[in-house]
Amino acid sequence: MFKLDVLQNMSTEEKYKYMLILIEGQCSTEKNSLANLSNASAIIKACLDKLNWVGFYIMRGDELVLGPFQGMPACNRIKLGNGVCGSAAALKKVQRIDNVHNFSGHIACDFATNSEIVIPIIKENKVYAVLDLDSPEFNRFTELEEKYLIKFVEKLNKYINWEEV
Ligand code: SME
């Protein structure tokens, strides 16, 4: 059982660190990749403020297919190179976008979104998925948060069998 009431008294950085403890606890006690990805999206949504969508898109051929998420229903498929998610996957590089309306090709799944961060999930130089976080606030995602989200993804990635999901 996750104890989330403790979050109320934590600083922002403590919340990032707690998120890492939670994902390690989840993945080290469960082998099923779908369960781990599902709870990973729930852990981020519970620990971080001002998010309207958090979830995974998983590479299948030349497109990303919607995976476990928290938020409003979203687009099912994104071609490699399209939108913020497809760009992160094609470039193998984090996309931290302060204002999505200025990002050429941004795909608006939830009209509430104003800023977004997408972390590519890579094993042996191959992109298996992306983690996507959306916020209704402009400039929501900081460099510090990006650093912790990368750590989060690194921990998670060690446990996921991407062929299984
Ligand atoms: N905005 C994303 C699409 C996914 S939704 O935000 C959930 C993009 O431009 O790739």
Side-chain angles (χ1 to χ4, degrees):
M1 182 72 86
F2 292 115
K3 288 194 172 57
L4 296 174
D5 50 330
V6 292
L7 285 165
Q8 285 161 14
N9 301 317
M10 285 186 189
S11 70
T12 305
E13 193 158 5
E14 283 168 342
K15 285 182 191 169
Y16 298 152
K17 289 180 179 162
Y18 191 56
M19 219 167 57
L20 299 180
I21 294 168
L22 291 178
I23 195 63
E24 188 65 42
Q26 165 68 29
C27 292
S28 60
T29 55
E30 174 54 58
K31 283 194 169 62
N32 186 279
S33 294
L34 191 56
N36 286 334
L37 289 173
S38 302
N39 264 334
S41 66
I43 287 168
I44 296 173
K45 186 74 170 64
C47 292
L48 303 184
D49 296 332
K50 298 167 192 157
L51 299 178
N52 55 307
W53 202 91
V54 184
F56 296 92
Y57 278 91
I58 298 164
M59 273 315 299
R60 287 288 177 258
D62 66 346
E63 57 186 6
L64 291 159
V65 180
L66 183 63
F69 71 96
Q70 303 263 307
M72 294 290 280
C75 49
N76 293 308
R77 290 168 190 267
I78 299 172
K79 288 269 181 223
L80 191 63
N82 284 5
V84 186
C85 291
S87 299
L91 300 170
K92 297 181 178 168
K93 195 171 176 293
V94 173
Q95 303 293 301
R96 185 156 55 93
I97 311 300
D98 288 338
N99 179 350
V100 294
H101 310 290
N102 293 339
F103 185 96
S104 167
H106 169 253
I107 301 161
C109 289
D110 182 343
F111 286 102
T113 300
N114 282 319
S115 64
E116 180 163 2
I117 188 167
V118 180
I119 319 283
I121 307 181
I122 301 167
K123 241 180 215 173
E124 289 161 6
N125 211 33
K126 183 175 170 188
V127 178
Y128 282 93
V130 300
L131 169 64
D132 181 17
L133 280 72
D134 288 18
S135 174
E137 296 222 329
F138 291 100
N139 308 301
R140 161 69 184 75
F141 301 102
T142 63
E143 209 176 320
L144 183 67
E145 193 160 46
E146 175 178 331
K147 199 179 95 182
Y148 277 97
L149 287 169
I150 290 170
K151 281 182 202 275
F152 184 94
V153 157
E154 281 168 1
K155 273 187 183 290
L156 176 67
N157 198 11
K158 278 191 287 173
Y159 289 99
I160 301 298
N161 175 358
W162 291 104
E163 314 299 336
E164 185 187 277
V165 286

